[in-house]
Amino acid sequence: MNGDPPSRDGFPRRPSAPDEAFADAYAHGFGDGLRDGLKELLQHVSRGHTAQELRLFIESRLARVPEEVEFKRRNVLAPPPKTSWGTLARAPSAPAVAPPAPVVFGQSYLVREERPARAIEMVRQNASKRPRLVAISIHPPEFGDLPPGRLEVVRLGPSGPGGRPDDHGPAPGEIGGRVREATEAEGGALVYFDGIEFLVTEFGLETTLKFVNWLTTQASRSGSVVVASVDPRTLSDGDLHRLQRAFTSVV
């Protein structure tokens, strides 16, 4: 019986020449990456994301592959310190979440979060301070009890069950027109926006950045406020930095 130690795939491993060892390491690394990618995709599918959202996730991950490969390479060259057993044995405590602070009108806020949560809470806590609320979103959240006519929804993506699969909804120019009307009305408006990643996918980064810059400038001009939510993992570091510069506050 062969006494060679088994490989990670369960098959006996034979002594190999240097070129075969390199091929083995490459193949195992490729397999690990493939498994991780498919597992992540299955997780997103199991959470009920639409095909368009899945496309956004996949495209954003593909854009970050070079950065993740370089990060992995550096970890292999200099592995991070191991976590002590005492730390592993303790149950992690829930992170403290500070209550949302009152917003300052005429300002714009970018909330960095994986899923819209803190941004929604900021809007809920401040919705009563302006006569109208504009929500720009693929899946507009609930903001509590608002008087009739106070909430205007700009829905991104197909308009309804009868919409075409390739219908991306209103373009930035049309969205801007509806926001301008609301913010320039008496008393201004509170604008909630969680579709940055969607606009980048459908219209490109440059068009999206131009729209965001216009949006935050419009809030400043009209005494309104913008609260936007973005998943920082969906943009490269450079693109995220450009986006953040458009806002007066990043939280």
Side-chain angles (χ1 to χ4, degrees), residues 10-226:
F11 296 103
R13 181 183 299 282
R14 295 189 302 271
S16 56
D19 57 341
E20 291 180 341
F22 174 80
D24 285 346
Y26 179 88
H28 286 312
F30 179 80
D32 288 343
L34 192 59
R35 276 189 289 270
D36 289 345
L38 291 173
K39 286 178 182 178
E40 184 174 3
L41 182 59
L42 284 174
Q43 288 175 354
H44 288 311
V45 171
S46 65
R47 292 170 185 163
H49 291 294
T50 65
Q52 202 145 23
E53 289 174 325
L54 289 174
R55 191 181 87 181
L56 176 61
F57 287 131
I58 293 169
E59 288 179 348
S60 66
R61 286 305 306 274
L62 287 174
R64 300 201 313 276
V65 164
E67 297 175 9
E68 294 185 6
V69 169
E70 178 61 17
F71 178 77
K72 184 70 173 178
R73 187 183 74 86
R74 291 179 180 176
N75 278 350
V76 171
L77 293 175
K82 294 182 178 179
T83 305
S84 67
W85 284 106
T87 302
L88 293 174
R90 291 193 296 269
S93 58
V97 179
V103 300
V104 177
F105 285 85
Q107 305 291 303
S108 52
Y109 300 83
L110 179 65
V111 184
R112 295 163 47 113
E113 52 189 353
E114 293 185 12
R115 302 287 290 180
R118 288 185 296 154
I120 296 173
E121 190 59 29
M122 286 177 68
V123 173
R124 286 174 179 161
Q125 295 294 327
N126 294 277
S128 63
K129 297 179 180 179
R130 280 298 181 269
R132 58 196 62 83
L133 168 60
V134 180
I136 309 169
S137 176
I138 302 174
H139 305 293
E142 295 292 333
F143 294 106
D145 295 330
L146 294 174
R150 191 163 186 168
L151 173 64
E152 179 178 359
V153 175
V154 182
R155 189 182 297 273
L156 304 175
S159 57
R164 301 190 311 273
D166 60 347
D167 182 12
H168 51 56
E174 181 181 346
I175 300 171
R178 296 174 67 175
V179 171
R180 178 184 287 109
E181 182 178 353
T183 54
E184 294 184 354
E186 184 178 358
L190 174 55
V191 180
Y192 168 79
F193 180 29
D194 68 11
I196 293 173
E197 301 93 335
F198 179 84
L199 292 188
V200 169
T201 301
E202 296 298 325
F203 300 99
L205 178 68
E206 297 303 323
T207 297
T208 302
L209 289 176
K210 287 179 181 178
F211 171 73
V212 170
N213 277 287
W214 174 87
L215 182 63
T216 56
T217 301
Q218 178 68 12
S220 177
R221 287 180 55 254
S222 63
S224 298
V225 68
V226 172

Side-chain angles (χ1 to χ4, degrees), residues 1-7 11-15:
M1 182 173 179
N2 196 331
D4 294 327
S7 70
F11 296 103
R13 181 183 299 282
R14 295 189 302 271

